[in-house]
């Protein structure tokens, strides 16, 4: 749990990094982002207790009482872990589901979805540059985004952040 900020900056997919950054900035995520990000945290190994502690720590930094957090948000976290409601063991959303879900509207406080699909080119370029992605990789990623190859763009983003590793086949697009 303590390593989460470092792991987010270094290794999270851009969609998850974006939601993590917005949570740290605003101390809140709306439902769709909490669902998408919470299931991701579960999939990377956070227990229900760790996930609850993580979200509670962030949400209460803006003055929300811990008991109000548990009343308003605890059920949803436990639900994601199959401990409430249908008691289904939910898994993280697939890239396809994230890409095809209704996009985020940052102006309305929504930060879920696929940034490669939802960001305009200027916002994508600025984000990649801010994350110190090299100019050649930025251009490749933007070309893939223009061609609506969002998963390939995301794979290249991962490769650019992890020099020397390969995640995608260059023949894919």
């Amino acid at each position: 749990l303590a390593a989460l900020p470092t792991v987010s900056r270094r290794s999270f997919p851009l969609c998850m990094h974006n939601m993590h950054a917005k949570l740290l900035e605003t101390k809140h995520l709306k439902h769709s982002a909490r669902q998408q990000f919470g299931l991701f945290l579960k999939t990377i190994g956070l227990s229900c207790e760790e996930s609850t502690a993580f979200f509670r720590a962030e949400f209460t930094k803006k003055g929300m009482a811990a008991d109000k957090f548990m009343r308003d948000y605890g059920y949803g976290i436990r639900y994601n872990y199959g401990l409430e409601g249908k008691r289904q063991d939910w898994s993280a959303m697939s890239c396809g589901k994230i890409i095809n879900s209704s996009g985020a509207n940052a102006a309305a406080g929504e930060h879920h979805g696929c940034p490669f699909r939802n960001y305009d080119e200027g916002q994508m370029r600025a984000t990649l540059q801010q994350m110190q992605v090299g100019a050649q990789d930025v251009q490749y990623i933007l070309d893939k985004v223009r061609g609506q190859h969002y998963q390939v763009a995301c794979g290249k983003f991962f490769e650019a952040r992890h020099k020397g590793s390969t995640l995608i086949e260059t023949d894919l697009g």
Side-chain angles (χ1 to χ4, degrees):
L1 193 54
L4 205 55
T6 302
V7 175
S8 173
R9 279 190 304 277
R10 177 76 178 120
S11 296
F12 278 13
L14 187 56
C15 57
M16 300 303 159
H17 171 78
N18 178 52
M19 286 182 286
H20 184 240
K22 289 302 176 184
L23 174 60
L24 296 178
E25 177 188 326
T26 66
K27 311 304 178 208
H28 188 264
L29 289 176
K30 290 193 175 183
H31 176 76
S32 295
R34 282 195 316 275
Q35 184 81 2
Q36 185 178 328
F37 188 54
L39 289 172
F40 173 77
L41 294 177
K42 175 186 174 194
T43 300
I44 65 168
L46 265 66
S47 68
C48 183
E49 293 77 21
E50 289 171 322
S51 189
T52 300
F54 170 71
F55 279 107
R56 183 178 50 234
E58 291 306 319
F59 276 53
T60 57
K61 285 180 182 174
K62 204 171 183 180
M64 178 184 290
D67 62 331
K68 178 169 176 39
F69 170 83
M70 290 307 294
R71 263 193 324 275
D72 293 353
Y73 302 105
Y75 177 90
I77 295 168
R78 292 188 306 277
Y79 185 90
N80 284 347
Y81 282 81
L83 302 173
E84 296 281 0
K86 289 172 63 172
R87 300 200 182 275
Q88 179 175 335
D89 188 20
W90 299 96
S91 34
M93 295 178 189
S94 68
C95 291
K97 183 172 182 172
I98 291 169
I99 290 167
N100 291 319
S101 67
S102 61
N105 178 353
E110 298 283 357
H111 302 290
H112 63 285
C114 174
F116 295 101
R117 178 174 181 236
N118 298 329
Y119 286 10
D120 65 35
E121 188 168 324
Q123 185 180 14
M124 178 57 63
R125 181 182 303 279
T127 298
L128 295 172
Q129 290 170 341
Q130 180 184 26
M131 296 187 79
Q132 300 176 343
V133 174
Q136 189 174 6
D137 291 331
V138 168
Q139 194 54 51
Y140 180 89
I141 291 168
L142 291 175
D143 288 345
K144 294 303 161 195
V145 168
R146 283 186 215 105
Q148 299 181 349
H149 301 290
Y150 308 117
Q151 282 182 270
V152 176
C154 187
K156 186 61 173 180
F157 171 77
F158 181 87
E159 286 180 3
R161 302 283 292 157
H162 297 84
K163 291 293 182 194
S165 61
T166 355
L167 182 64
I168 62 171
E169 298 292 331
T170 54
D171 309 22
L172 290 178

